[in-house]
Amino acid sequence: MEGADRRLSTLARHLTTGGVRNVHDNAAISCSPTSSTSSMVVVGDHSIFANILRAPEDPILGVTVAYNKDPSPVKLNLGVGAYRTEEGKPLVLNVVRRAEQLLVNDRSRVKEYLPIVGLADFNKLSAKLILGADSPAIKGNLVTTVQCLSGTGSLRVGRTIYIPNPTWGNHTKIFNLAGLTVKTYRYYDPVTRGLNIQGLLEDLGSAPSGAIVLLHACAHNPTGVDPTLEQWEQIRRLIRSKSLLPFFDSAYQGFASGSLDGDAQSVRMFVADGGECFIAQSYAKNMGLYGERVGALSIVCRTADVASRVESQLKLVIRPMYSSPPIHGASIVSAILKDRNLYNEWTLELKAMADRIITMRKQLFDALCARGTPGDWSHIIKQIGMFTFTGLSTKQVMFMTKEYHIYLTSDGRISMAGLSSRTVPHLADAIHAAVTTIV
Amino acid sequence: MASMMTRRSMSLMKSRSMMIHGSSRLMSTSWWKHVEPAPKDPILGVTEAFLADPSPHKVNVGVGAYRDDNGKPVVLDCVREAERRIAGNLNMEYLPMGGSNKMVDETLKLAYGENSDLIKDKRIAAIQALSGTGACRIFADFQKRFSPDSQIYIPVPTWSNHHNIWRDANVPQRTYHYYHPETKGLDFASLMDDVKNAPNGSFFMLHACAHNPTGVDPTIEQWKEISYQFKVKGHFAFFDMAYQGFASGDPERDAKSIRIFLEDGHLIGCSQSYAKNMGLYGQRVGCLSLVCEDEKQAVAVKSQLQQLARPMYSNPPVHGALIVSTILGDPDLKQLWLKEVKGMADRIIGMRSSLRENIEKLGSPLSWEHITNQIGMFCYSGMTPEQVDRLTQEFHIYMTRNGRISMAGVTSGNVEYLAKAIHEVTKAA
């Protein structure tokens, strides 16, 4: 099952900065009968939905649909944005199963409404996880954290926002529908298949004071290209000097390098300078809780008083959206984070997932080198996280799907999580053929 | 490394403060200085105050969450069994954007009927939603997007969050008469006037059963008249059904208003919630459905509903949906659920009688028949905010200031005390 949050990169192109208006255009809504003041409308004859067009198919979901239809025994789905084992199966972490069992067996647990801001333990522990246990921002009560519906929900709840080019497809929609003006800053360099730091600094340098800047905390989606620590420092200095407001999307903490603290460096660097920022966290990947929708939004503020007022306003946004967040996933996370043994076990399982991905990267790189595939493929091992931005063209991608039954998104992004030692050779063959056949 | 960064940061901050000259914003102040503290939620704030009260006699009849006769929250047996079965679930993968199809299918049967032709003909566009709130909100956003010139008619009074929901969706609100303070019943005549006077094709939000906060529902005959008038005017009916099964104890009976509208051919919208009737409050499980002319239209509408959910939360939480579909998909568990829902409803109905009897026994000069006339979780007592304040300050009884009593918080242990207190503050009225 494809993650819904990976579906939209092409769709985003349909919905540019026009946002809601564009959707209206796409839907070609003419004057609905209910807004007509002329004749009496008898219900049953005419639906108010008569003019509604079907929304465009999701491009990433379409990949999985095509994959499912394919009868080939060697087919491979590399579109999926969810972790898979060596056997290609989804994974529920042992530590999650144990936490769930604890919850089920605890008969004193009830299913009452959470407060609007969610489970208090969960919020505190999530802030600690991203900011570090000894964070002065936490000690000084400068952080307000609210439980949200995974990463998506945490981002929805904030003018102009600058997002990297490219970025996760749903980002544009989220911010458009929230009424922000969405602009982009250069990020990925197709020539080096790495970071375009100069372009990034130039574009952010010309952003107006007060603009929000969306930053992927680690394991940039879809490119897997992250700034180095030195580059992060350059970005931080620029952002602070231009009075821009950083908004971190942290969907892969621990999953990227295998180290929770390591993957939080960028965020902690910004918080350490005493400035303000937003942080959206998701437990979808690093705890495998995809469908439970568990995440958190933290806002680091200048003073405790501001943090308290901000929290009260966040509640006003949440209450008319869904009143209060779902309890189950947050309870699992809380149970794991607060128990020494469960936490340690989690870090081991997390590292194992990250290591398997890194191993797949190495195997694919080695396989391409062994075949003498033309081109520099070092980006496969340099990029970090779940995805590799291969640099393959749309034509080459189509060739791979048609001839080798390999399914990936048309931008050339492959999910390393969908690979196994068994299937790496097949993929390497396909890439080799695509690159040598289609120029 | 960390200390190096701190040093760099500190020198940076020093040099930055020198750069402030000419900038309209001080580096050392917050982006959010102008943010005012938001007012407390009127309903949820009551429980906060209750929890902070040390009095041993305190009673919470504020928030609408069911309590057993010991005043304790309840997890239904059918829910515990369902959870036992799904613990150790194969995976926690993302649901589709529209949520669990199995859960939605079972949920539609509850609202539209087991053998509904609309379901057979696939004419209903439906998605799993974040309980009733989420269903209403997605509908409000949908209404804004596809009927941008429309307004929503909301009854007076209503659940306070309804106003927040349509406001945040930027749909202008109008009100229609509903509660009649003099009779503590339905102001049917004014309601019908408002329906007739609204422009043709207006959007109305109706409480399907167990109106919150008044507990006042139209009779079947009145529903039929409302439905007829809606047809004449071409109005759109959106039903918020948060208490199916919980009102009378019989889910089929509680869905009667909807069925009347469907018989009359209305193409309705409906929000359903499992918060109360399955006790799944914190799981946030519900459903939004819209009746369409045909299957093709339903597919189109559903795809658009999903488009609204996606930038909000991508896809809905799986756990609660699994509980619902496990229960409703198993005939034995479903029977158990029906029995437990009836049990909850019956206890509430019993407490209504008991409260009314107790107040009348004390010789109150006022009429309290509305306590047993009203239905569902809430009783609109008719008490003034000042009387409510006295109840809280003198008797440590907590309820919302509109005089709404959550009958679920009444037990055989506290009903006499509650009656005494109510009598005290109202006898001079």
Side-chain angles (χ1 to χ4, degrees):
Chain A
M1 172 56 62
E2 172 54 88
D5 60 353
R6 296 293 168 261
R7 289 171 186 169
L8 286 177
S9 40
T10 312
L11 186 62
R13 274 179 245 133
H14 292 291
L15 303 168
T16 51
T17 49
V20 172
R21 244 180 312 226
N22 269 7
V23 174
H24 277 152
D25 292 341
N26 288 346
I29 299 303
S30 56
C31 177
S32 92
T34 55
S35 59
S36 147
T37 49
S38 50
S39 56
M40 243 191 249
V41 178
V42 179
V43 171
D45 281 349
H46 202 135
S47 167
I48 59 166
F49 312 129
N51 296 322
I52 289 180
L53 291 187
R54 186 169 182 171
E57 271 287 6
D58 185 282
I60 299 185
L61 184 63
V63 169
T64 296
V65 168
Y67 168 83
N68 286 338
K69 286 201 186 114
D70 188 330
S72 162
V74 299
K75 66 180 179 178
L76 186 53
N77 188 355
L78 299 180
V80 68
Y83 182 80
R84 293 284 177 270
T85 62
E86 249 297 300
E87 293 73 39
K89 298 265 181 294
L91 176 68
V92 176
L93 302 185
N94 280 330
V95 73
V96 166
R97 286 202 194 285
R98 281 184 35 208
E100 262 214 317
Q101 209 50 50
L102 285 173
L103 295 175
V104 164
N105 292 336
D106 182 359
R107 285 194 67 91
S108 72
R109 286 188 55 77
V110 292
K111 299 198 173 310
E112 299 285 286
Y113 291 119
L114 284 179
I116 297 176
V117 297
L119 198 56
D121 273 356
F122 169 84
N123 291 337
K124 285 201 191 66
L125 291 162
S126 293
K128 264 178 61 180
L129 184 65
I130 188 70
L131 298 177
D134 49 6
S135 163
I138 295 179
K139 291 208 179 78
N141 291 322
L142 306 180
V143 187
T144 178
T145 304
V146 296
Q147 178 189 340
C148 293
L149 279 95
S150 207
T152 308
S154 307
L155 292 166
R156 164 69 177 249
V157 174
R159 305 182 238 194
T160 303
I161 184 161
Y162 281 73
I163 63 178
N165 180 15
T167 191
W168 177 48
N170 207 16
H171 277 143
T172 309
K173 271 200 105 173
I174 292 170
F175 298 121
N176 266 330
L177 264 82
L180 298 175
T181 304
V182 179
K183 296 202 152 101
T184 59
Y185 60 90
R186 279 170 285 170
Y187 190 84
Y188 179 70
D189 184 345
V191 172
T192 61
R193 294 187 187 139
L195 180 66
N196 180 357
I197 184 69
Q198 269 317 114
L200 183 159
L201 293 172
E202 272 171 37
D203 288 347
L204 292 186
S206 60
S209 162
I212 306 172
V213 180
L214 182 74
L215 303 161
H216 295 224
C218 67
H220 179 273
N221 176 7
T223 69
V225 168
D226 285 350
T228 62
L229 279 179
E230 287 68 36
Q231 289 170 329
W232 271 122
E233 173 59 14
Q234 284 179 282
I235 296 168
R236 184 197 65 77
R237 260 188 265 142
L238 177 65
I239 284 180
R240 295 310 192 196
S241 73
K242 300 288 297 179
S243 295
L244 305 174
L245 185 51
F247 193 153
F248 283 97
D249 186 355
S250 173
Y252 298 98
Q253 186 189 3
F255 201 98
S257 68
S259 158
L260 287 159
D261 289 326
D263 288 348
Q265 291 270 58
S266 58
V267 175
R268 295 186 189 176
M269 188 187 292
F270 275 71
V271 174
D273 71 12
E276 296 181 324
C277 67
F278 290 91
I279 308 163
Q281 286 168 275
S282 166
Y283 289 95
K285 289 81 170 169
N286 62 9
M287 264 203 209
L289 294 175
Y290 308 91
E292 302 291 348
R293 318 312 292 127
V294 208
L297 168 67
S298 289
I299 305 184
V300 181
C301 306
R302 275 276 163 198
T303 67
D305 176 57
V306 169
S308 161
R309 284 186 269 136
V310 164
E311 184 186 88
S312 73
Q313 291 289 343
L314 284 173
K315 289 181 184 175
L316 291 191
V317 175
I318 291 170
R319 175 69 161 147
M321 227 187 252
Y322 50 84
S323 282
S324 59
I327 190 173
H328 191 72
S331 305
I332 294 174
V333 172
S334 201
I336 293 170
L337 293 183
K338 65 159 65 124
D339 178 295
R340 178 107 300 225
N341 293 327
L342 288 178
Y343 181 89
N344 287 338
E345 199 180 316
W346 174 49
T347 60
L348 293 175
E349 289 192 85
L350 191 46
K351 187 160 193 319
M353 288 198 287
D355 284 349
R356 194 183 90 67
I357 303 263
I358 291 168
T359 304
M360 290 302 103
R361 291 185 175 279
K362 183 114 206 335
Q363 284 187 10
L364 179 59
F365 175 73
D366 289 345
L368 291 171
C369 289
R371 284 159 180 69
T373 308
D376 175 6
W377 297 99
S378 60
H379 56 283
I380 293 180
I381 46 179
K382 283 194 212 139
Q383 289 167 6
I384 192 170
M386 200 180 272
F387 303 109
T388 291
F389 227 36
T390 55
L392 294 163
S393 71
T394 307
K395 280 215 179 81
Q396 289 167 331
V397 168
M398 279 168 54
F399 171 87
M400 283 169 57
T401 305
K402 185 157 177 287
E403 304 299 328
Y404 286 81
H405 307 276
I406 295 184
Y407 293 82
L408 63 156
T409 48
S410 55
D411 57 3
R413 184 195 82 166
I414 55 177
S415 169
M416 304 308 290
L419 277 177
S420 68
S421 319
R422 197 182 46 82
T423 54
V424 161
H426 180 56
L427 176 60
D429 288 341
I431 294 176
H432 185 89
V435 165
T436 51
T437 308
I438 313 231
V439 175
Chain B
M1 175 60 151
S3 58
M4 231 166 67
M5 274 196 282
T6 315
R7 248 182 279 135
R8 237 186 278 152
S9 304
M10 292 196 29
S11 69
L12 190 68
M13 279 170 72
K14 275 203 210 120
S15 62
R16 223 169 38 193
S17 59
M18 293 198 288
M19 278 160 55
I20 286 168
H21 179 72
S23 159
S24 59
R25 185 187 301 278
L26 286 177
M27 296 300 164
S28 54
T29 58
S30 167
W31 291 104
W32 317 118
K33 235 163 50 114
H34 60 290
V35 172
E36 296 286 334
K40 278 202 187 296
D41 186 281
I43 301 174
L44 304 176
V46 170
T47 295
E48 275 182 41
F50 168 81
L51 290 170
D53 186 330
S55 162
H57 305 294
K58 63 180 180 179
V59 176
N60 186 359
V61 284
V63 75
Y66 182 78
R67 296 283 178 272
D68 63 14
D69 200 48
N70 297 313
K72 296 273 177 285
V74 171
V75 177
L76 302 184
D77 286 340
C78 62
V79 169
R80 284 210 192 278
E81 172 58 24
E83 275 212 308
R84 205 191 51 78
R85 291 185 197 182
I86 67 185
N89 192 30
L90 194 55
N91 67 62
M92 291 166 170
E93 299 284 287
Y94 294 119
L95 282 177
M97 278 181 287
S100 158
N101 288 324
K102 198 159 167 244
M103 196 257 333
V104 167
D105 288 344
E106 291 295 336
T107 303
L108 293 181
K109 283 194 224 161
L110 284 179
Y112 295 88
E114 283 271 345
N115 301 310
S116 158
D117 283 333
L118 292 171
I119 296 179
K120 284 201 190 80
D121 297 339
K122 302 200 169 124
R123 284 177 52 191
I124 307 178
I127 58 167
Q128 179 185 337
L130 294 165
S131 209
T133 306
C136 287
R137 176 55 181 270
I138 298 279
F139 174 73
D141 283 348
F142 181 85
Q143 180 186 354
K144 182 64 186 175
R145 180 170 282 186
F146 293 104
S147 285
D149 301 325
S150 67
Q151 302 168 319
I152 186 78
Y153 281 78
I154 293 184
V156 178
T158 193
W159 179 48
S160 57
N161 207 22
H162 279 141
H163 294 295
N164 300 333
I165 289 168
W166 269 272
R167 178 203 65 218
D168 274 17
N170 289 310
V171 174
Q173 299 172 37
R174 309 214 45 172
T175 56
Y176 62 91
H177 287 85
Y178 192 85
Y179 180 70
H180 201 212
E182 288 74 29
T183 58
K184 299 192 181 71
L186 183 66
D187 188 352
F188 186 61
S190 302
L191 187 158
M192 291 305 283
D193 280 344
D194 288 342
V195 170
K196 287 178 192 144
N197 292 332
N200 293 346
S202 293
F203 284 64
F204 277 75
M205 191 267 294
L206 306 159
H207 296 226
C209 64
H211 181 270
N212 176 5
T214 68
V216 169
D217 285 350
T219 63
I220 289 183
E221 289 65 41
Q222 288 172 330
W223 273 123
K224 286 186 174 151
E225 278 195 57
I226 297 169
S227 172
Y228 175 76
Q229 202 54 232
F230 266 54
K231 272 202 99 169
V232 167
K233 297 286 297 182
H235 289 333
F236 178 86
F238 182 74
F239 283 94
D240 185 355
M241 183 157 68
Y243 297 98
Q244 187 185 13
F246 204 95
S248 69
D250 175 3
E252 280 298 293
R253 205 166 130 197
D254 289 346
K256 193 64 184 160
S257 59
I258 291 178
R259 307 290 172 84
I260 288 169
F261 271 65
L262 293 174
E263 271 160 33
D264 285 352
H266 289 286
L267 303 173
I268 65 167
C270 183
S271 155
Q272 291 169 266
S273 165
Y274 287 102
K276 289 81 172 169
N277 61 11
M278 245 189 228
L280 296 177
Y281 308 92
Q283 304 292 336
R284 321 310 294 129
V285 208
C287 179
L288 166 65
S289 55
L290 293 171
V291 178
C292 302
E293 288 173 318
D294 54 39
E295 182 178 351
K296 182 157 175 275
Q297 195 180 92
V299 166
V301 168
K302 178 176 169 171
S303 74
Q304 295 291 351
L305 292 176
Q306 290 176 170
Q307 290 276 10
L308 290 164
R310 188 192 281 152
M312 232 188 248
Y313 49 83
S314 280
N315 41 76
V318 64
H319 190 73
L322 267 181
I323 295 175
V324 172
S325 58
T326 301
I327 291 172
L328 297 184
D330 176 315
D332 292 333
L333 280 183
K334 184 169 179 180
Q335 279 309 114
L336 176 56
W337 172 59
L338 290 171
K339 186 161 150 267
E340 292 188 279
V341 165
K342 186 163 192 318
M344 290 195 287
D346 284 348
R347 192 185 90 67
I348 302 263
I349 290 167
M351 285 300 103
R352 287 184 178 278
S353 296
S354 190
L355 181 61
R356 177 181 166 185
E357 275 163 30
N358 273 281
I359 300 178
E360 286 172 345
K361 238 181 7 200
L362 295 165
S364 170
L366 306 167
S367 165
W368 295 97
E369 62 175 16
H370 54 284
I371 296 182
T372 46
N373 285 341
Q374 291 165 4
I375 191 170
M377 198 179 278
F378 302 110
C379 163
Y380 223 42
S381 62
M383 287 186 287
T384 64
E386 293 69 36
Q387 289 168 334
V388 170
D389 288 343
R390 279 192 65 195
L391 280 180
T392 306
Q393 278 143 30
E394 294 172 30
F395 296 92
H396 307 276
I397 293 173
Y398 291 81
M399 65 177 75
T400 47
R401 287 185 92 235
N402 54 8
R404 184 192 83 166
I405 300 174
S406 173
M407 297 306 298
V410 182
T411 67
S412 43
N414 65 24
V415 65
E416 279 182 45
Y417 178 71
L418 181 58
K420 194 160 84 62
I422 291 175
H423 177 61
E424 254 325 290
V425 307
T426 58
K427 63 188 181 183

